[in-house]
Structures are given as C-alpha cells and as structure tokens.
Amino acid sequence: MPHFVEALQQDAAQAIAQMQEAALRARHAHARAELMRHMLTTARKVKDKPKAEAVETVVREWMDAWNLGRGDWPHIAREMESFTEAFHDYANDPSDENDTRLRETCAALDTVLEQEGTSISDQMAFRSQCAHGWWEQVKPVPADLPGLKPRPSVPALESGKAFWEAGCADFCR
C-alpha cells in the first residue's frame, strides 16, 4: 500500500489526466455543436432564397470564416456545399429525412477535413472568428498552421501551451 503522500500524488495525477481528457472531449464537442448551431442559424436566415443562392451565401461565409479560399480547397468546398444544402433543406423542413442527410453530410465533411489533418472542431477553434477563447486554452492553435490569420476576438496564448502545461504565463495576469 502506498504511503499517504505517494497515494495523494497518484490520486492527483489520475484526476489531472481525467480532467485533461474531459477538457479535450468538451472542446471537440462544443466546437462541433457551435458550428452546427451557426450553420442552422445562417441557413434559417436564407431559407427563403433560391437554394443555389442560399447555399452560395452560406458556403462563402463559412469558407471565409475559416480562412480557406475555395479555389485553394475545392474538395473541402464541395463537401461544405453538400453540408450547406442539407442545412438549407433542414431549415425549410426539419424532418427525420433531412436530419439524416445532415448527419451524412457532416460525416463526409469530417472525412475530407481528416484527410487534411484537421477536423470540424479544429477548424472552428483554430480558424473561425467565432471561436470561444477557452478552446485555445485546452488545445492551442499550432504556430505553424498554414493560412492562419489574426483573430482579434480570440486572445492568443503567450506560451502556446494548454492551460495545464502553461503554468501562470497565460492565466495569472
């Protein structure tokens, strides 16, 4: 049986590991949920427009928000168009059938982003002007991320490290 101090250290290490895993899962889930909420809100704003015009408006807005040029990322743009079409259909008819299509197009967008070494949650957290600052405290933006543009609404971390690695550099101001 470990002695008292050793047992406390082991308990603390286990709790910290669990907290880190939970924080990463929460960041992933919250960033994805935020994209879906934003997509539905945007789709509802343009739902009465002709579908092609509505889809173009939303795709342009999100590709711009993610700082991805459509010409530079045509494979992502194609999946974003399908994804947006599904949201347009859902905004006009929130049926089970359209919900299924949303799920399918979301999975296809996930796949194409994974092929580029990223994800919906990373796109939202690393590139979006709509990012929540705590996401970066859990998983900082990589310094070498291609095409990164300044986001004044998201305070940058001084250390470039997650809060559990950074000490007071970023948080004890």
Side-chain angles (χ1 to χ4, degrees), residues 89-109:
D89 293 345
Y90 186 84
N92 281 288
D93 175 22
S95 65
D96 289 347
E97 180 181 328
N98 285 331
D99 181 66
T100 298
R101 176 112 168 85
L102 275 179
R103 293 168 191 269
E104 292 167 353
T105 59
C106 184
L109 181 59

Side-chain angles (χ1 to χ4, degrees), residues 69-150:
R70 287 176 82 170
D72 298 330
W73 303 96
H75 54 301
I76 294 174
R78 277 190 301 275
E79 294 304 333
M80 183 57 108
E81 287 169 6
S82 295
F83 183 58
T84 304
E85 287 173 1
F87 266 99
H88 181 270
D89 293 345
Y90 186 84
N92 281 288
D93 175 22
S95 65
D96 289 347
E97 180 181 328
N98 285 331
D99 181 66
T100 298
R101 176 112 168 85
L102 275 179
R103 293 168 191 269
E104 292 167 353
T105 59
C106 184
L109 181 59
D110 274 332
T111 298
V112 74
L113 289 171
E114 285 172 14
Q115 291 168 354
E116 293 297 330
T118 189
S119 65
I120 287 173
S121 59
D122 282 351
Q123 287 300 114
M124 283 299 290
F126 295 162
R127 297 181 180 278
S128 178
Q129 296 296 326
C130 305
H132 293 245
W134 74 269
W135 295 344
E136 190 164 329
Q137 294 173 12
V138 171
K139 186 176 178 184
V141 175
D144 61 348
L145 188 68
L148 193 59
K149 293 182 181 176

Side-chain angles (χ1 to χ4, degrees), residues 23-80:
L24 288 166
R25 279 192 319 274
R27 176 219 178 249
H28 174 72
H30 188 233
R32 285 177 64 82
E34 279 297 283
L35 173 63
M36 303 315 153
R37 185 180 66 78
H38 281 292
M39 288 294 293
L40 186 55
T41 299
T42 306
R44 284 177 174 153
K45 287 180 190 175
V46 297
K47 75 178 194 166
D48 295 327
K49 291 185 177 186
K51 188 174 183 174
E53 181 184 339
V55 168
E56 175 58 29
T57 299
V58 176
V59 170
R60 184 177 55 249
E61 183 175 315
W62 278 104
M63 294 294 286
D64 288 348
W66 285 359
N67 297 310
L68 297 174
R70 287 176 82 170
D72 298 330
W73 303 96
H75 54 301
I76 294 174
R78 277 190 301 275
E79 294 304 333
M80 183 57 108

